[in-house]
Amino acid sequence: MPRLLAVLGESHPGLSVTYVEAEPPQAVLAVREDRADIALTFSYPGDRDDPHGSSARGLSVTSVGSDDLLAVLPAGHPAARDGVVDVSSLAEESWIAGCPRCRGHLLELCGRAGFVPRIAFETDNFVAVEGLVAGGIGVATLPRLALESFPQLPGIVTVPLPDGERRTLHLVTAHGAARVPAVRAAVAAIVGLLGT
């Protein structure tokens, strides 16, 4: 988000931008209720409660990229040396879970690996997740974009999860919203930053 705001500030200095953080269902609702022009949302493969289904009916939903999920481990963890984490090797660990959608994906990911994760802590704050992992409190998964948005804390290592463990990023707008110059500029900046 800071990079997006900087890009928009440089390329469109007169554009007024506000930012509100919300989970995908609430972000889609904000667009539907005309409280937001654009929602940048995400979904996981197999989401049972996909915010881009019936709740987005009548809105424009465009996939604009993907975001790999990474295992976040204490630096000395045996799996930290692996090129790709075998999730089943983390079955005995305490886990740190995130937002409800991320927690649901964690449960599904671990279920496919044959176990139910022992979730010790839950927080939406990815810096807090890193701090808990660095302190040896547990292990976690985080999206690459979150990890790249802030300098990584010392004492953690990130390792890729198996292929296909990624979330899809979506832009949600009202139909025809791109005809509004400010919305068009913001959409172009988001797509440019995500590389799609």
Side-chain angles (χ1 to χ4, degrees):
M1 191 50 64
R3 285 188 306 175
L4 172 63
L5 295 174
V7 165
L8 285 172
E10 290 171 14
S11 60
H12 302 283
L15 186 64
S16 175
V17 178
T18 58
Y19 167 72
V20 176
E21 190 170 313
E23 291 299 315
Q26 290 78 28
V28 169
L29 184 61
V31 171
R32 177 171 303 292
E33 293 178 347
D34 202 26
R35 292 181 286 118
D37 294 316
I38 301 168
L40 177 60
T41 65
F42 63 91
S43 63
Y44 290 104
D47 261 354
R48 291 178 187 88
D49 182 27
D50 188 350
H52 310 98
S54 61
S55 68
R57 189 165 293 126
L59 300 174
S60 175
V61 180
T62 307
S63 295
V64 292
S66 63
D67 188 12
D68 292 333
L69 296 175
L70 303 172
V72 184
L73 309 170
H77 195 283
R81 296 184 299 269
D82 297 341
V84 174
V85 169
D86 176 359
V87 177
S88 66
S89 72
L90 304 174
E92 299 304 315
E93 300 288 343
S94 291
W95 285 82
I96 302 150
C99 72
R101 186 167 269 26
C102 300
R103 184 182 195 280
H105 182 261
L106 175 64
L107 292 169
E108 195 268 327
L109 171 71
C110 294
R112 281 188 278 121
F115 69 97
V116 175
R118 186 175 63 247
I119 297 174
F121 296 94
E122 295 183 39
T123 177
D124 290 349
N125 183 327
F126 69 89
V127 178
V129 170
E130 286 188 21
L132 291 166
V133 172
I137 305 299
V139 299
T141 63
L142 284 173
R144 184 178 302 279
L145 283 174
L147 289 161
E148 290 177 350
S149 69
F150 190 81
Q152 188 170 299
L153 294 181
I156 69 166
V157 173
T158 60
V159 183
L161 291 170
D163 242 3
E165 295 302 331
R166 64 183 52 93
R167 60 188 190 164
T168 302
L169 304 174
H170 311 274
L171 279 179
V172 180
T173 63
H175 282 296
R179 290 190 299 260
V180 176
V183 173
R184 186 172 51 249
V187 167
I190 292 168
V191 170
L193 286 172
L194 295 175
T196 58

